[in-house]
Amino acid sequence: MKNLCLFRLNGPQQCPAGDAALSTSSLELKINHSKTATRILCILAFLLVIPSAVLAQGNANMVTQFSGTLKTAQPGVLVITRDDGTEIFVQPPDELPNLAFVAKAKPAFLGRGMLIRFSGVFDGAGNPLSKIEKVEIFQPVPPQQLKGSQRDKFTPGVYGDPHANPQQRVEPQKYDVVGIPMGITPTGILMTQAGKIPVRCPLAENVQFELRLNNLSLAQPGDPVSVSGFYQPSDETKVKAENLTITTDRVYGEPLANENPRNRRASRRNRAADAEEAPAAEADPQAEATE
């Protein structure tokens, strides 16, 4: 018998064939145990990951987009009355260019500390080939609050297609101009100092001046507001804005309807004559202050 193991009185004698069979069985048993342990670990990991994913999904920010009217604006938070009457507390966007107050304006509104931007077609020598249809008026923004290509919209200069090769730049193409307004000639030529480059462009007859500020200095209660952003599912009345735009039908730089310059000059002359006839003590300082 080949697999018969003989024993001696001083101890057992190992059987090579039996040991080989036993080793093979042990190895298979270890492999099966290893596979079973791996399966158990995978199942445990699966059971641990799924609840975490579900929990994370339940706490994820929800996208929202709505319109309404401005109620109040305080540093760091705006209260907006949504179109359905619900009051929403909104945090402004982190990126300042995504916050905008937009209104129509007149050239008379241009003043010190303001910049303008517009687009036009120019030839290789810098001569304008088209009239300007729209001019945006804005205020400077701290450079540290701007990212990437945003800087080109707020830094004085002339910007063309960055991907155009030098040979194409001698041909007519569109440029964006950002600079300080230097005035408008009687013939309708807009003069702009775009960094170190003086630019002269004709304005179209129906040119539009748009005031676009990245702050709330001119916003008033009742102005229309549009918001897109996120909120936690537990409370949709607290929103973190990604984009926020406030508009108004007020026109800046336009004289008031009851403010006729001729009448105003005449009334001032009349008041001056009346002041000469009346005693100085009877002058109404409050009335003069309102002028």
Side-chain angles (χ1 to χ4, degrees), residues 50 61 98 100 115 122 157 196 233 247:
I50 291 301
N61 291 331
N98 292 345
L115 299 172
F122 298 82
K196 297 182 179 180
T247 58

Side-chain angles (χ1 to χ4, degrees), residues 264-276:
R264 191 172 184 179
R265 286 195 296 268
S267 62
R268 285 181 176 177
R269 286 196 297 268
N270 295 337
R271 285 195 296 271
D274 294 340
E276 292 178 358

Side-chain angles (χ1 to χ4, degrees), residues 8 16 20 42-43 56 70-71 84 145 160 183 245 249 261 263 268 273:
R8 295 181 180 178
C42 291
I43 292 173
L70 179 65
K71 183 176 181 180
D84 62 1
Q145 298 189 16
T245 303
D249 56 0
N263 295 338
R268 285 181 176 177

Side-chain angles (χ1 to χ4, degrees), residues 7-22:
F7 293 89
R8 295 181 180 178
L9 295 176
N10 57 357
Q13 179 70 30
Q14 295 180 353
C15 178
D19 278 346
L22 181 60

